[in-house]
Amino acid sequence: MAVKGAVMVPHPPLIVPEIGRGEERKIQATIDSYHRAAQKIAEWKPDTVVVISPHSVMYADYFHISPGNGAKGDFSRFRAPQVKFQADYDTEFVEMLCQEAEARGIPVGILGERDRSLDHGTMVPLYFVDQYDTDYKLVRIGLSGLPLTMHYELGQCIRKAAELLGRNVAVIGSGDLSHKLKEDGPYGFQKEGPEYDERIMDVMGRAAFGELFDFPENFCEKAAECGHRSFTIMAGALDGLSVNTEKLSHEGTFGVGYGVCIYEVTGRDTSRYFLEEYRKREEEKARVRKESEDAYVRLARQTIETYVKTGKKIRVPDHIPQEMCSRRAGVFVSLKEDGRLRGCIGTISPVRGSIAEEIIENAVSAATKDPRFHAVEPEELERLVYSVDVLGDTEKISSQKELDVKRYGVIVSRGYRRGLLLPNLEGVDTVEEQIRIAREKAGIPEDAGDISLERFEVVRHY
C-alpha cells in the first residue's frame, strides 16, 4: 500500500455548472477529462487524497499543511454558496509527513494558517472526485518560494509517509498553466504563455519529470503559470515509480491554460529517480565551474564557504591578481541556487581599500544579510552558483534612449531614494523593464516624473 497514482488538473471555478452557468461548456474537453481523472482516483480506492494547491497558504520559506481535524468550504466568492464541501483531514498522515520532511531539513508544518476554509484550488478537484468517491480523508498542502528541488523532495516525503502508514494514497497536483495566452484574456498575452503551455504539456505528457527542473524562474514568471510547483511536488510523490500516463486534454479557451494528465503507478523503476539524476548533473556542472572560475569568483566562493562553515571572514589572499589589490571599484556579488536568485548585495561606489576587500565584504552580505532570503546554510554551498560584477564609473544621462539593457546598468534616483539594476540580467529584456525594476527597488512610484538616470558598465565574472 502506497501512492497508487496522481493526477494533474486545473482549478477554474467556472468549470462548476452552478458557477459557469453555461460558459463551462466552452471547455468541455477539460470537463470530460476531469471526470475521467476523478473516476480513475475512485478506482484506486484511496484512504487518503493529497491535494497540492497554489491557493492554500503560501510562504516564501515554509510549506504549510492545513491543521486540525477537517475543514469546510463553499463557492460563495463565485456566487454559488449552495455548492458546499466538508472534508475530514488525515491527521496521522499529516504528522508522519511533517516528521519525514523535518528529517530531511525541509521547513514544513501546520503553523501559520490564515483561513481555515477550503480554497478553490482544493474545492474544484474535490467537486469532481466527490461525484465518484467520498470515502477518503484529505491532506491539503500549500506551496512555497523555496527551490523546485525542495518541492520535489516534499513529494518524496508524501510517498514515504504513505509507505510507512500503509495508506493507499492519490495525489492531486492542482494548478492552471499560463495565464497569458490571449490578448483578450483576463491577464493579457505574453509570448512565454503559449511557449510554457506547449512545453509543460510535452513534459507532463511524457511523465519526464526530471525536466521540470529545467524551467527558468523568469520564464515561468513571464508565463504567469500557476501550477508548476504543484506539479513538481506531485512528481516527487512518484519518484522511482513506473507509471502509465494518460495525457487527456489541454485547452486555453479563456486565455488561461488547462491541462489534465493521469499517472497510474504500475511498479518501481530505478531509472526514474529524477532528483538524484538532476543533482548528479548539477554536481558535475559545479565541478567544471570551479575548475574554470577566475580569481574574482574564486575569492567570493572561498569567502562564503569559509564564513558559512566557521563564522569567520577570510583575509585577502596573497596570491591574487595585482589589480584586485590596487584598484577600487563598486562590486556586486550574486548567488543563485537551482537557477533562482539566492542573494545579491553590492556597492555602487567603492567603500573599501580594494576590489578584493569589496568582494569579501559583499560576499558575506550576499550570503547572510540579503533581507529577501534567510542566511545560506552549509548544505546549500555545493549548489550555489556565483557571479561578481565590478562596476565602472557612473555617468548621468538625460534620456532612457541612452540606455542599452545588455550593455549598461541603470541607477534611478529621486531625492534620497536610489535604485540600481545591473545590466544583462536574465529575464530583463527591455530598458522600460530595467527602469521599472530599479524604481521598485528604490521605492519610487511608477508615476513619479522627477527622477534622474545614471548608467554604468560592468565587467562580469562567472
Side-chain angles (χ1 to χ4, degrees), residues 363-404:
V364 170
S365 295
T368 64
K369 297 179 181 177
D370 189 325
R372 297 168 293 181
F373 308 97
H374 62 83
V376 169
E377 303 285 349
E379 58 269 19
E380 296 178 85
L381 292 173
E382 286 301 312
R383 301 197 295 272
L384 295 181
V385 177
Y386 301 83
S387 63
V388 176
D389 289 292
V390 179
L391 278 60
D393 294 334
T394 62
E395 58 177 329
K396 288 192 174 183
I397 57 175
S398 58
S399 167
Q400 67 181 49
K401 293 179 180 178
E402 297 177 69
L403 290 170
D404 180 327

Side-chain angles (χ1 to χ4, degrees), residues 339-361:
R340 305 185 69 210
L341 186 66
R342 185 63 180 83
C344 180
I345 295 289
T347 43
I348 297 174
S349 302
V351 297
R352 296 171 184 90
S354 68
I355 288 175
E357 293 173 76
E358 210 84 33
I359 290 173
I360 291 171
E361 292 296 326

